[in-house]
Amino acid sequence: MAREALSTLFQEHARTLVRTAVLLTNDEELAEEVVQEAFLGLHRRWRRKGPPRSPEAYLRTSVVNGCRSALRRRRVAASAKVPQLVPDVSAEAAVLLREEQTEVLAAMDGLSRRQREVLVLRFFLDLDDRAIADTLGVSRGTVSSTISRALRSLESLLGEDA
């Protein structure tokens, strides 16, 4: 009986509750989570104590309170400057990337100091030849030839054909 009643309530009220939560949070994904939590709360309450006098009112109150809590958590996180990091890649891809980075860093140890410097300035800081030359106190031609030699050395150290 409870399952059927909850299913009917969901079909009749979920869309309106999500719209309400979107208006309160300005975040559709968060709104959907809040509404899901409200229905889960109603289900738990129904099983423990039976149905509330007005399930619709119970859901509305739960959604409003859930939105308030979510917004409060968001404000606290923003004031604490807690970054919300979401991985851009899968765990497997991240491991492979770290392995490749480790190999490249190990190969960089096999380069001369100047070769490491020009590669870091070019590919990490994205400087052009003139800026690298100014930074290192060498000519632009030296920068260009050093980058070329450094890349060939890296290819050799990493065992890659270019």
Side-chain angles (χ1 to χ4, degrees), residues 127-158:
L127 298 179
D128 62 16
D129 285 359
R130 178 178 304 260
I132 295 170
D134 291 344
T135 301
L136 298 178
V138 297
S139 71
R140 286 175 59 191
T142 299
V143 169
S144 183
S145 63
T146 304
I147 288 173
S148 179
R149 282 192 311 276
L151 289 174
R152 278 196 309 273
S153 294
L154 268 182
E155 288 172 353
S156 174
L157 291 166
L158 292 170

PDB file of all heavy atoms in Angstrom, residues 127-158:
ATOM      1  N   LEU A 127      56.294  30.513 -22.997  1.00  0.00           N
ATOM      2  CA  LEU A 127      57.016  31.702 -23.445  1.00  0.00           C
ATOM      3  C   LEU A 127      57.511  31.499 -24.868  1.00  0.00           C
ATOM      4  O   LEU A 127      57.819  30.389 -25.284  1.00  0.00           O
ATOM      5  CB  LEU A 127      58.219  31.979 -22.527  1.00  0.00           C
ATOM      6  CG  LEU A 127      57.910  32.275 -21.055  1.00  0.00           C
ATOM      7  CD1 LEU A 127      59.204  32.508 -20.284  1.00  0.00           C
ATOM      8  CD2 LEU A 127      56.970  33.460 -20.902  1.00  0.00           C
ATOM      9  N   ASP A 128      57.621  32.603 -25.614  1.00  0.00           N
ATOM     10  CA  ASP A 128      58.186  32.513 -26.960  1.00  0.00           C
ATOM     11  C   ASP A 128      59.716  32.589 -26.875  1.00  0.00           C
ATOM     12  O   ASP A 128      60.281  32.802 -25.803  1.00  0.00           O
ATOM     13  CB  ASP A 128      57.607  33.598 -27.871  1.00  0.00           C
ATOM     14  CG  ASP A 128      57.923  35.007 -27.402  1.00  0.00           C
ATOM     15  OD1 ASP A 128      58.829  35.194 -26.553  1.00  0.00           O
ATOM     16  OD2 ASP A 128      57.266  35.947 -27.895  1.00  0.00           O
ATOM     17  N   ASP A 129      60.371  32.406 -28.045  1.00  0.00           N
ATOM     18  CA  ASP A 129      61.835  32.370 -28.064  1.00  0.00           C
ATOM     19  C   ASP A 129      62.452  33.645 -27.476  1.00  0.00           C
ATOM     20  O   ASP A 129      63.430  33.584 -26.735  1.00  0.00           O
ATOM     21  CB  ASP A 129      62.354  32.169 -29.494  1.00  0.00           C
ATOM     22  CG  ASP A 129      62.174  30.747 -29.987  1.00  0.00           C
ATOM     23  OD1 ASP A 129      61.671  29.899 -29.214  1.00  0.00           O
ATOM     24  OD2 ASP A 129      62.535  30.475 -31.149  1.00  0.00           O
ATOM     25  N   ARG A 130      61.912  34.804 -27.814  1.00  0.00           N
ATOM     26  CA  ARG A 130      62.459  36.073 -27.329  1.00  0.00           C
ATOM     27  C   ARG A 130      62.380  36.148 -25.799  1.00  0.00           C
ATOM     28  O   ARG A 130      63.348  36.516 -25.144  1.00  0.00           O
ATOM     29  CB  ARG A 130      61.734  37.260 -27.948  1.00  0.00           C
ATOM     30  CG  ARG A 130      62.244  38.613 -27.434  1.00  0.00           C
ATOM     31  CD  ARG A 130      61.536  39.758 -28.114  1.00  0.00           C
ATOM     32  NE  ARG A 130      61.685  39.664 -29.554  1.00  0.00           N
ATOM     33  CZ  ARG A 130      62.559  40.364 -30.276  1.00  0.00           C
ATOM     34  NH1 ARG A 130      63.328  41.238 -29.690  1.00  0.00           N
ATOM     35  NH2 ARG A 130      62.633  40.219 -31.575  1.00  0.00           N
ATOM     36  N   ALA A 131      61.239  35.788 -25.231  1.00  0.00           N
ATOM     37  CA  ALA A 131      61.080  35.850 -23.770  1.00  0.00           C
ATOM     38  C   ALA A 131      62.013  34.851 -23.087  1.00  0.00           C
ATOM     39  O   ALA A 131      62.590  35.162 -22.032  1.00  0.00           O
ATOM     40  CB  ALA A 131      59.636  35.582 -23.393  1.00  0.00           C
ATOM     41  N   ILE A 132      62.178  33.672 -23.674  1.00  0.00           N
ATOM     42  CA  ILE A 132      63.096  32.686 -23.095  1.00  0.00           C
ATOM     43  C   ILE A 132      64.521  33.216 -23.162  1.00  0.00           C
ATOM     44  O   ILE A 132      65.281  33.131 -22.186  1.00  0.00           O
ATOM     45  CB  ILE A 132      62.971  31.329 -23.821  1.00  0.00           C
ATOM     46  CG1 ILE A 132      61.578  30.735 -23.587  1.00  0.00           C
ATOM     47  CG2 ILE A 132      64.061  30.362 -23.349  1.00  0.00           C
ATOM     48  CD1 ILE A 132      61.266  29.520 -24.462  1.00  0.00           C
ATOM     49  N   ALA A 133      64.896  33.777 -24.311  1.00  0.00           N
ATOM     50  CA  ALA A 133      66.246  34.333 -24.477  1.00  0.00           C
ATOM     51  C   ALA A 133      66.500  35.431 -23.441  1.00  0.00           C
ATOM     52  O   ALA A 133      67.568  35.460 -22.810  1.00  0.00           O
ATOM     53  CB  ALA A 133      66.418  34.876 -25.896  1.00  0.00           C
ATOM     54  N   ASP A 134      65.533  36.303 -23.258  1.00  0.00           N
ATOM     55  CA  ASP A 134      65.683  37.371 -22.264  1.00  0.00           C
ATOM     56  C   ASP A 134      65.814  36.802 -20.860  1.00  0.00           C
ATOM     57  O   ASP A 134      66.620  37.266 -20.056  1.00  0.00           O
ATOM     58  CB  ASP A 134      64.494  38.340 -22.325  1.00  0.00           C
ATOM     59  CG  ASP A 134      64.480  39.166 -23.605  1.00  0.00           C
ATOM     60  OD1 ASP A 134      65.519  39.221 -24.304  1.00  0.00           O
ATOM     61  OD2 ASP A 134      63.407  39.735 -23.914  1.00  0.00           O
ATOM     62  N   THR A 135      65.039  35.800 -20.553  1.00  0.00           N
ATOM     63  CA  THR A 135      65.064  35.199 -19.223  1.00  0.00           C
ATOM     64  C   THR A 135      66.401  34.534 -18.935  1.00  0.00           C
ATOM     65  O   THR A 135      66.942  34.666 -17.834  1.00  0.00           O
ATOM     66  CB  THR A 135      63.932  34.154 -19.088  1.00  0.00           C
ATOM     67  OG1 THR A 135      62.691  34.801 -19.310  1.00  0.00           O
ATOM     68  CG2 THR A 135      63.935  33.505 -17.714  1.00  0.00           C
ATOM     69  N   LEU A 136      66.952  33.847 -19.938  1.00  0.00           N
ATOM     70  CA  LEU A 136      68.191  33.092 -19.728  1.00  0.00           C
ATOM     71  C   LEU A 136      69.447  33.883 -20.095  1.00  0.00           C
ATOM     72  O   LEU A 136      70.559  33.424 -19.836  1.00  0.00           O
ATOM     73  CB  LEU A 136      68.155  31.784 -20.536  1.00  0.00           C
ATOM     74  CG  LEU A 136      67.046  30.802 -20.166  1.00  0.00           C
ATOM     75  CD1 LEU A 136      67.103  29.580 -21.077  1.00  0.00           C
ATOM     76  CD2 LEU A 136      67.141  30.392 -18.709  1.00  0.00           C
ATOM     77  N   GLY A 137      69.268  35.037 -20.728  1.00  0.00           N
ATOM     78  CA  GLY A 137      70.427  35.842 -21.130  1.00  0.00           C
ATOM     79  C   GLY A 137      71.204  35.224 -22.271  1.00  0.00           C
ATOM     80  O   GLY A 137      72.439  35.286 -22.298  1.00  0.00           O
ATOM     81  N   VAL A 138      70.488  34.611 -23.232  1.00  0.00           N
ATOM     82  CA  VAL A 138      71.118  34.009 -24.407  1.00  0.00           C
ATOM     83  C   VAL A 138      70.436  34.549 -25.655  1.00  0.00           C
ATOM     84  O   VAL A 138      69.433  35.248 -25.573  1.00  0.00           O
ATOM     85  CB  VAL A 138      71.034  32.457 -24.366  1.00  0.00           C
ATOM     86  CG1 VAL A 138      71.795  31.908 -23.165  1.00  0.00           C
ATOM     87  CG2 VAL A 138      69.588  31.974 -24.361  1.00  0.00           C
ATOM     88  N   SER A 139      70.966  34.193 -26.822  1.00  0.00           N
ATOM     89  CA  SER A 139      70.363  34.654 -28.067  1.00  0.00           C
ATOM     90  C   SER A 139      69.131  33.813 -28.413  1.00  0.00           C
ATOM     91  O   SER A 139      68.979  32.687 -27.936  1.00  0.00           O
ATOM     92  CB  SER A 139      71.383  34.574 -29.205  1.00  0.00           C
ATOM     93  OG  SER A 139      71.617  33.219 -29.546  1.00  0.00           O
ATOM     94  N   ARG A 140      68.304  34.363 -29.307  1.00  0.00           N
ATOM     95  CA  ARG A 140      67.124  33.621 -29.761  1.00  0.00           C
ATOM     96  C   ARG A 140      67.529  32.372 -30.520  1.00  0.00           C
ATOM     97  O   ARG A 140      66.867  31.337 -30.424  1.00  0.00           O
ATOM     98  CB  ARG A 140      66.242  34.511 -30.633  1.00  0.00           C
ATOM     99  CG  ARG A 140      65.477  35.535 -29.817  1.00  0.00           C
ATOM    100  CD  ARG A 140      64.698  36.500 -30.661  1.00  0.00           C
ATOM    101  NE  ARG A 140      63.730  35.842 -31.515  1.00  0.00           N
ATOM    102  CZ  ARG A 140      63.076  36.455 -32.498  1.00  0.00           C
ATOM    103  NH1 ARG A 140      63.286  37.722 -32.745  1.00  0.00           N
ATOM    104  NH2 ARG A 140      62.210  35.800 -33.227  1.00  0.00           N
ATOM    105  N   GLY A 141      68.613  32.451 -31.274  1.00  0.00           N
ATOM    106  CA  GLY A 141      69.106  31.284 -32.012  1.00  0.00           C
ATOM    107  C   GLY A 141      69.518  30.172 -31.069  1.00  0.00           C
ATOM    108  O   GLY A 141      69.271  28.984 -31.336  1.00  0.00           O
ATOM    109  N   THR A 142      70.131  30.543 -29.945  1.00  0.00           N
ATOM    110  CA  THR A 142      70.528  29.552 -28.945  1.00  0.00           C
ATOM    111  C   THR A 142      69.294  28.868 -28.370  1.00  0.00           C
ATOM    112  O   THR A 142      69.274  27.650 -28.179  1.00  0.00           O
ATOM    113  CB  THR A 142      71.359  30.208 -27.829  1.00  0.00           C
ATOM    114  OG1 THR A 142      72.534  30.767 -28.410  1.00  0.00           O
ATOM    115  CG2 THR A 142      71.723  29.226 -26.743  1.00  0.00           C
ATOM    116  N   VAL A 143      68.255  29.646 -28.109  1.00  0.00           N
ATOM    117  CA  VAL A 143      67.016  29.086 -27.578  1.00  0.00           C
ATOM    118  C   VAL A 143      66.437  28.087 -28.566  1.00  0.00           C
ATOM    119  O   VAL A 143      66.095  26.954 -28.208  1.00  0.00           O
ATOM    120  CB  VAL A 143      65.988  30.205 -27.266  1.00  0.00           C
ATOM    121  CG1 VAL A 143      64.616  29.616 -26.974  1.00  0.00           C
ATOM    122  CG2 VAL A 143      66.464  31.064 -26.119  1.00  0.00           C
ATOM    123  N   SER A 144      66.338  28.486 -29.819  1.00  0.00           N
ATOM    124  CA  SER A 144      65.748  27.622 -30.840  1.00  0.00           C
ATOM    125  C   SER A 144      66.526  26.324 -30.996  1.00  0.00           C
ATOM    126  O   SER A 144      65.941  25.232 -31.022  1.00  0.00           O
ATOM    127  CB  SER A 144      65.713  28.390 -32.169  1.00  0.00           C
ATOM    128  OG  SER A 144      65.098  27.618 -33.146  1.00  0.00           O
ATOM    129  N   SER A 145      67.864  26.415 -31.092  1.00  0.00           N
ATOM    130  CA  SER A 145      68.657  25.198 -31.265  1.00  0.00           C
ATOM    131  C   SER A 145      68.638  24.340 -30.008  1.00  0.00           C
ATOM    132  O   SER A 145      68.612  23.102 -30.092  1.00  0.00           O
ATOM    133  CB  SER A 145      70.097  25.543 -31.665  1.00  0.00           C
ATOM    134  OG  SER A 145      70.738  26.278 -30.645  1.00  0.00           O
ATOM    135  N   THR A 146      68.596  24.963 -28.827  1.00  0.00           N
ATOM    136  CA  THR A 146      68.562  24.200 -27.578  1.00  0.00           C
ATOM    137  C   THR A 146      67.243  23.446 -27.450  1.00  0.00           C
ATOM    138  O   THR A 146      67.225  22.282 -27.038  1.00  0.00           O
ATOM    139  CB  THR A 146      68.789  25.125 -26.363  1.00  0.00           C
ATOM    140  OG1 THR A 146      70.021  25.820 -26.532  1.00  0.00           O
ATOM    141  CG2 THR A 146      68.820  24.342 -25.066  1.00  0.00           C
ATOM    142  N   ILE A 147      66.142  24.076 -27.818  1.00  0.00           N
ATOM    143  CA  ILE A 147      64.840  23.400 -27.782  1.00  0.00           C
ATOM    144  C   ILE A 147      64.848  22.213 -28.727  1.00  0.00           C
ATOM    145  O   ILE A 147      64.408  21.114 -28.371  1.00  0.00           O
ATOM    146  CB  ILE A 147      63.685  24.376 -28.127  1.00  0.00           C
ATOM    147  CG1 ILE A 147      63.455  25.348 -26.968  1.00  0.00           C
ATOM    148  CG2 ILE A 147      62.394  23.607 -28.427  1.00  0.00           C
ATOM    149  CD1 ILE A 147      62.459  26.450 -27.270  1.00  0.00           C
ATOM    150  N   SER A 148      65.361  22.413 -29.919  1.00  0.00           N
ATOM    151  CA  SER A 148      65.409  21.329 -30.899  1.00  0.00           C
ATOM    152  C   SER A 148      66.233  20.158 -30.374  1.00  0.00           C
ATOM    153  O   SER A 148      65.794  18.999 -30.440  1.00  0.00           O
ATOM    154  CB  SER A 148      65.988  21.865 -32.206  1.00  0.00           C
ATOM    155  OG  SER A 148      66.065  20.856 -33.169  1.00  0.00           O
ATOM    156  N   ARG A 149      67.431  20.428 -29.855  1.00  0.00           N
ATOM    157  CA  ARG A 149      68.275  19.360 -29.313  1.00  0.00           C
ATOM    158  C   ARG A 149      67.612  18.694 -28.106  1.00  0.00           C
ATOM    159  O   ARG A 149      67.673  17.476 -27.948  1.00  0.00           O
ATOM    160  CB  ARG A 149      69.653  19.908 -28.922  1.00  0.00           C
ATOM    161  CG  ARG A 149      70.588  20.122 -30.098  1.00  0.00           C
ATOM    162  CD  ARG A 149      72.025  20.380 -29.666  1.00  0.00           C
ATOM    163  NE  ARG A 149      72.191  21.388 -28.645  1.00  0.00           N
ATOM    164  CZ  ARG A 149      72.263  22.701 -28.864  1.00  0.00           C
ATOM    165  NH1 ARG A 149      72.191  23.161 -30.106  1.00  0.00           N
ATOM    166  NH2 ARG A 149      72.413  23.541 -27.871  1.00  0.00           N
ATOM    167  N   ALA A 150      66.984  19.483 -27.252  1.00  0.00           N
ATOM    168  CA  ALA A 150      66.352  18.937 -26.047  1.00  0.00           C
ATOM    169  C   ALA A 150      65.204  17.998 -26.412  1.00  0.00           C
ATOM    170  O   ALA A 150      65.054  16.928 -25.819  1.00  0.00           O
ATOM    171  CB  ALA A 150      65.855  20.070 -25.156  1.00  0.00           C
ATOM    172  N   LEU A 151      64.412  18.375 -27.399  1.00  0.00           N
ATOM    173  CA  LEU A 151      63.297  17.520 -27.816  1.00  0.00           C
ATOM    174  C   LEU A 151      63.803  16.218 -28.440  1.00  0.00           C
ATOM    175  O   LEU A 151      63.241  15.144 -28.181  1.00  0.00           O
ATOM    176  CB  LEU A 151      62.374  18.271 -28.783  1.00  0.00           C
ATOM    177  CG  LEU A 151      61.546  19.386 -28.152  1.00  0.00           C
ATOM    178  CD1 LEU A 151      60.775  20.155 -29.224  1.00  0.00           C
ATOM    179  CD2 LEU A 151      60.601  18.851 -27.090  1.00  0.00           C
ATOM    180  N   ARG A 152      64.865  16.297 -29.247  1.00  0.00           N
ATOM    181  CA  ARG A 152      65.453  15.073 -29.816  1.00  0.00           C
ATOM    182  C   ARG A 152      65.979  14.175 -28.693  1.00  0.00           C
ATOM    183  O   ARG A 152      65.792  12.968 -28.710  1.00  0.00           O
ATOM    184  CB  ARG A 152      66.567  15.412 -30.802  1.00  0.00           C
ATOM    185  CG  ARG A 152      66.062  15.780 -32.177  1.00  0.00           C
ATOM    186  CD  ARG A 152      67.150  15.726 -33.237  1.00  0.00           C
ATOM    187  NE  ARG A 152      68.362  16.451 -32.891  1.00  0.00           N
ATOM    188  CZ  ARG A 152      68.573  17.752 -33.122  1.00  0.00           C
ATOM    189  NH1 ARG A 152      67.638  18.460 -33.737  1.00  0.00           N
ATOM    190  NH2 ARG A 152      69.703  18.324 -32.787  1.00  0.00           N
ATOM    191  N   SER A 153      66.642  14.770 -27.708  1.00  0.00           N
ATOM    192  CA  SER A 153      67.169  13.989 -26.580  1.00  0.00           C
ATOM    193  C   SER A 153      66.039  13.332 -25.801  1.00  0.00           C
ATOM    194  O   SER A 153      66.136  12.167 -25.412  1.00  0.00           O
ATOM    195  CB  SER A 153      67.987  14.879 -25.643  1.00  0.00           C
ATOM    196  OG  SER A 153      69.140  15.340 -26.291  1.00  0.00           O
ATOM    197  N   LEU A 154      64.956  14.075 -25.567  1.00  0.00           N
ATOM    198  CA  LEU A 154      63.808  13.506 -24.852  1.00  0.00           C
ATOM    199  C   LEU A 154      63.217  12.336 -25.616  1.00  0.00           C
ATOM    200  O   LEU A 154      62.887  11.308 -25.027  1.00  0.00           O
ATOM    201  CB  LEU A 154      62.724  14.568 -24.631  1.00  0.00           C
ATOM    202  CG  LEU A 154      62.758  15.352 -23.340  1.00  0.00           C
ATOM    203  CD1 LEU A 154      61.583  16.330 -23.286  1.00  0.00           C
ATOM    204  CD2 LEU A 154      62.769  14.468 -22.123  1.00  0.00           C
ATOM    205  N   GLU A 155      63.060  12.497 -26.922  1.00  0.00           N
ATOM    206  CA  GLU A 155      62.525  11.400 -27.737  1.00  0.00           C
ATOM    207  C   GLU A 155      63.403  10.172 -27.603  1.00  0.00           C
ATOM    208  O   GLU A 155      62.906   9.050 -27.463  1.00  0.00           O
ATOM    209  CB  GLU A 155      62.433  11.828 -29.202  1.00  0.00           C
ATOM    210  CG  GLU A 155      61.325  12.824 -29.470  1.00  0.00           C
ATOM    211  CD  GLU A 155      61.366  13.395 -30.885  1.00  0.00           C
ATOM    212  OE1 GLU A 155      62.342  13.119 -31.624  1.00  0.00           O
ATOM    213  OE2 GLU A 155      60.440  14.106 -31.235  1.00  0.00           O
ATOM    214  N   SER A 156      64.709  10.375 -27.631  1.00  0.00           N
ATOM    215  CA  SER A 156      65.627   9.253 -27.498  1.00  0.00           C
ATOM    216  C   SER A 156      65.531   8.616 -26.120  1.00  0.00           C
ATOM    217  O   SER A 156      65.483   7.398 -25.981  1.00  0.00           O
ATOM    218  CB  SER A 156      67.048   9.748 -27.762  1.00  0.00           C
ATOM    219  OG  SER A 156      67.984   8.736 -27.506  1.00  0.00           O
ATOM    220  N   LEU A 157      65.488   9.457 -25.079  1.00  0.00           N
ATOM    221  CA  LEU A 157      65.412   8.949 -23.704  1.00  0.00           C
ATOM    222  C   LEU A 157      64.107   8.211 -23.429  1.00  0.00           C
ATOM    223  O   LEU A 157      64.062   7.261 -22.654  1.00  0.00           O
ATOM    224  CB  LEU A 157      65.594  10.090 -22.704  1.00  0.00           C
ATOM    225  CG  LEU A 157      67.000  10.703 -22.641  1.00  0.00           C
ATOM    226  CD1 LEU A 157      66.971  12.018 -21.882  1.00  0.00           C
ATOM    227  CD2 LEU A 157      67.959   9.718 -22.003  1.00  0.00           C
ATOM    228  N   LEU A 158      63.038   8.674 -24.081  1.00  0.00           N
ATOM    229  CA  LEU A 158      61.728   8.045 -23.881  1.00  0.00           C
ATOM    230  C   LEU A 158      61.494   6.883 -24.839  1.00  0.00           C
ATOM    231  O   LEU A 158      60.468   6.204 -24.759  1.00  0.00           O
ATOM    232  CB  LEU A 158      60.603   9.090 -24.045  1.00  0.00           C
ATOM    233  CG  LEU A 158      60.558  10.160 -22.963  1.00  0.00           C
ATOM    234  CD1 LEU A 158      59.584  11.267 -23.350  1.00  0.00           C
ATOM    235  CD2 LEU A 158      60.174   9.554 -21.626  1.00  0.00           C
TER     236      LEU A 158
END
